[in-house]
Each structure stands twice: as structure tokens, then as C-alpha cells.
Amino acid sequence: MLLAGIAALGSGLLPGPAFEELAGRTLPVLGFVVAMSLVTELADDAGVFRAVTDRVAAWGRGRIRLLWSLVIGLSTLSTVFLSLDTTAVLVTPVVVLLAVHARIPPLPFALTTIWLANTASLLLPVSNLTNLLAQARLGLSPAAFASLVWAPALIGILLPPLLLWLAFRKELRGRYGPQPLHRVQDRVLLSASAGVVLLLLPALVSGIPVYLPASAAAAVLLGLFLWRRRSTLRWSMVPWRPLMLTAGLFMVVEALHANGATSFLAGAAGSGDSLPALLQLAGLGAGAANAVNNLPAYLALEPVGGSPVRLAALLIGVNLGPLVTPWASLATLLWHERLRALNVEIRWSGFAVAGLAAVVLTLPLAVLALWLTNRMH
């Protein structure tokens, strides 16, 4: 994909001025992705996520239903403040292992993390790469962004767990025994890393460009690991493949726009801020995300957004919609890799049917919530 983007630039399909504008807009976003990847990888290596899971297991008090409710809270907070990929990559394994050790069927816990990784990723710009791109286009602060999407974001957080509860209520009854605590290898490193993450969270919603506090946190953690555990540091901590894929997608989709894609998509996307128009755009976004992937779906349809509320409807489609196909979001593919490593099997046919039911129920309600709150303003 990166080679395709470079070819588009070299051949003139992507004009130089359009590439310069694209680079100015997306380089801070890619810098944020690198910095947050380092922060979450290093915090995980220090044991932060395992320590949180130990506390969740203790707070569950031996009741499976309460434990699952706490997992919902953990997955939601992780997604909202640290991004959907963090939930898929780091929260999933510790939560699934917790269920396995507690002799609880792991499937409800695994589905909870990936559904919420996608559907809870609407509230803040840092929750999803698509949100960061929309925030940059709209020029909104994190608070203003949240005030635009808070109602559909609430639907995305509350409704999918309710559907999972209806599907798995029998498996989520009963009790579990005491769970073994993870051994802390370096308490200084754990405490310092946890402190860095806690300070980073409010900084990410303060209105400062998010790549700045994320880069500062990554630099502090790199310094800590150079001091305490140098052997952990490796080049593979930088997400090279997703970065190349994302940069290539940016360039290819921008080349398509430069050659008439916007006018082609405008007819399918409709126009206006009416409820049917918003449903049409959100549905198109969800369909495109499941057909290709949520990032190119957003990039392709962004120019036909036209207004803040239409762009919010598009975000509903590409954030809450990718629950059907495995490739609909990178988070789902990363989640599946983690499950395979844990020997937890997922039937994609069942995943698709359940996801389609969730999207059909969640998406219209989220768009309705957006339309109603927009009318109040």
C-alpha cells in the first residue's frame, strides 16, 4: 500500500500541493500513533495492565456477573482514553486469561473487549484514528468534539454490552474462586509507568495537540526503561506495518479524490442534516468499513461530510459499524491474533451474524441520538 501511494505521487496522480497538504495534516496523527504505541507497549511490559486486571479480579468478589461488569468498564476506559487498538492488543489477553483461570467461558469476555474496542471509540479524538482526522478537519477541541458526539457515543457504550448480556446471560451467572496475583518484577518501574499513564490521560483531553503529551510520555518511559530494563527495548515496538499501511492509504485515497472520487461518492452519500440523510451516510460508512476497512472508508467519504453533524454521522458508521467482517478494523485483526496465541477459537460466521445484529440495532439508535441532540442545539 505504501508503494502504491509512492507510485501515485511519483506518477502525478497525487499532485504535489495535495500531498503537502495531506502531510501537514496527517504527520502529527502518525506521530501520535507511534508515541501511544510505545507508551502502551512499555506500560504493559512494566505490568500496568496486569496489575489493573488483578484489582478487577479482586473487586469482582467471586461473582462472574460483577467481574464481567468491571471488564466492561475497563474495556470502555481503555478504548476512550488509550484507543481501540490498546483494548484489542493489551486488554484482551489479560481479560481472556482471567476468564480462563477462573474457569469461566472466555467467549463473552473476548467479544466484550472487541465490540467495545470499536463501539466505545467515538467519544474522544484519541479513541480512534478516524476521530483524530475528523477533529483536525473540524478544528474542534477535545471537549467540543465530545459535546458533538456524546449521545451516540453513549449508545455505543451501553447497547452492545446489553446485547451480549442477553446472548450470554447463562454463562455469566455463578461464582469464581480466588485468582493468583501476577508477580511484580520491578516495583519502581511499575509505579513510575503507572504514574506516567495517569498523568497522560488528562493531558490527552486538555486541548494540547495530542502528539505532544503522548511523545513526552513515550520519552519518559523510554528513559525509565533505559535505566531499569534496557533489554525490553526493541525496534519492533514501533508499529511499522500499520504505519506503512496507514501512510499508503492516506496517499492512495487522496490520489483518488484528486481524480474525481469525491463527485462519484457524493451521489451515494446524499446531502443535508435530516435524519434519513444522516442514516444514509452512516450506513454507507458502515458498509464501506466492512467491505474494505474503516480507515479508507472514512478517508474516502470525509469530503462528502460537509458539516460537523454529517461528519459525526460518518464516524458513527465507521466506528460503530465494523463488527461484521474480520478486516473491518485493524483492531479486530489484532484481537484475533491475540486470541489465537491464547488458543481461543472464534468462528467467523457466528462473529459476523452477531456483529450484524449489533450493528443493525446500534447504528440507527446512535444516529437518532446524534440527530436529536443536534436539533436541540
Side-chain angles (χ1 to χ4, degrees):
M1 187 58 67
L2 181 60
L3 289 173
I6 293 170
L9 179 63
S11 66
L13 287 173
L14 175 56
F19 173 70
E20 289 176 15
E21 184 182 346
L22 176 71
R25 183 181 169 210
T26 58
L27 281 176
V29 172
L30 295 176
F32 170 76
V33 170
V34 172
M36 284 303 295
S37 296
L38 290 172
V39 167
T40 52
E41 286 276 356
L42 292 171
D44 181 54
D45 196 87
V48 172
F49 290 94
R50 290 187 295 277
V52 170
T53 310
D54 287 343
R55 296 309 309 156
V56 166
W59 292 336
R61 298 181 179 180
R63 288 180 285 176
I64 295 175
R65 186 183 303 179
L66 178 56
L67 178 66
W68 180 67
S69 300
L70 292 167
V71 167
I72 291 171
L74 174 61
S75 300
T76 300
L77 289 173
S78 169
T79 300
V80 169
F81 289 100
L82 296 176
S83 89
L84 73 168
D85 293 336
T86 299
T87 302
V89 173
L90 300 177
V91 174
T92 294
V94 290
V95 164
V96 169
L97 280 175
L98 174 60
V100 170
H101 291 157
R103 297 183 180 178
I104 304 168
L107 185 58
F109 287 76
L111 284 177
T112 298
T113 57
I114 193 55
W115 276 19
L116 284 171
N118 286 291
T119 64
S121 69
L122 189 62
L123 184 61
L124 294 177
V126 297
S127 309
N128 199 320
L129 188 56
T130 55
N131 299 358
L132 284 171
L133 294 168
Q135 181 201 21
R137 186 175 183 88
L138 293 171
L140 297 176
S141 68
F145 183 92
S147 71
L148 174 65
V149 298
W150 69 268
L154 200 59
I155 298 294
I157 290 169
L158 296 177
L159 187 55
L162 175 61
L163 298 175
L164 287 170
W165 165 248
L166 292 173
F168 292 106
R169 57 190 181 278
K170 291 182 180 177
E171 290 88 342
L172 295 170
R173 291 174 182 160
R175 302 187 64 84
Y176 63 94
Q179 297 303 297
L181 296 176
H182 291 94
R183 187 172 63 86
V184 177
Q185 293 181 320
D186 187 330
R187 196 163 292 279
V188 171
L189 195 57
L190 172 60
S191 300
S193 299
V196 169
V197 172
L198 286 174
L199 289 172
L200 176 61
L201 298 185
L204 291 175
V205 295
S206 65
I208 303 169
V210 290
Y211 70 91
L212 294 175
S215 300
V220 171
L221 286 176
L222 284 169
L224 280 169
F225 273 82
L226 280 171
W227 171 43
R228 304 288 297 187
R229 197 184 296 168
R230 188 176 299 223
S231 60
T232 293
L233 301 177
R234 57 196 184 279
W235 285 108
S236 61
M237 285 185 161
V238 178
W240 299 110
R241 285 189 298 172
L243 279 176
M244 290 189 290
L245 172 67
T246 303
L249 283 170
F250 284 155
M251 296 169 73
V252 168
V253 174
E254 189 64 29
L256 291 172
H257 285 311
N259 290 277
T262 303
S263 57
F264 173 76
L265 291 169
S271 61
D273 295 349
S274 67
L275 180 58
L278 297 179
L279 285 168
Q280 180 180 354
L281 181 54
L284 182 61
N290 282 292
V292 189
N293 178 267
N294 65 338
L295 185 57
Y298 172 81
L299 290 170
L301 292 166
E302 184 189 60
V304 300
S307 68
V309 69
R310 279 183 61 80
L311 211 54
L314 174 58
L315 288 175
I316 291 172
V318 298
N319 288 15
L320 276 63
L323 299 182
V324 182
T325 59
W327 54 82
S329 78
L330 177 62
T332 304
L333 294 173
L334 296 171
W335 168 81
H336 186 238
E337 282 185 10
R338 289 299 189 270
L339 291 185
R340 285 181 62 189
L342 297 170
N343 294 315
V344 176
E345 289 297 322
I346 292 293
R347 285 191 303 108
W348 286 118
S349 58
F351 180 90
V353 169
L356 181 61
V359 171
V360 167
L361 292 169
T362 304
L363 206 69
L365 285 175
V367 174
L368 177 61
L370 173 69
W371 179 72
L372 288 173
T373 51
N374 184 61
R375 289 194 69 190
M376 290 179 191
H377 290 149

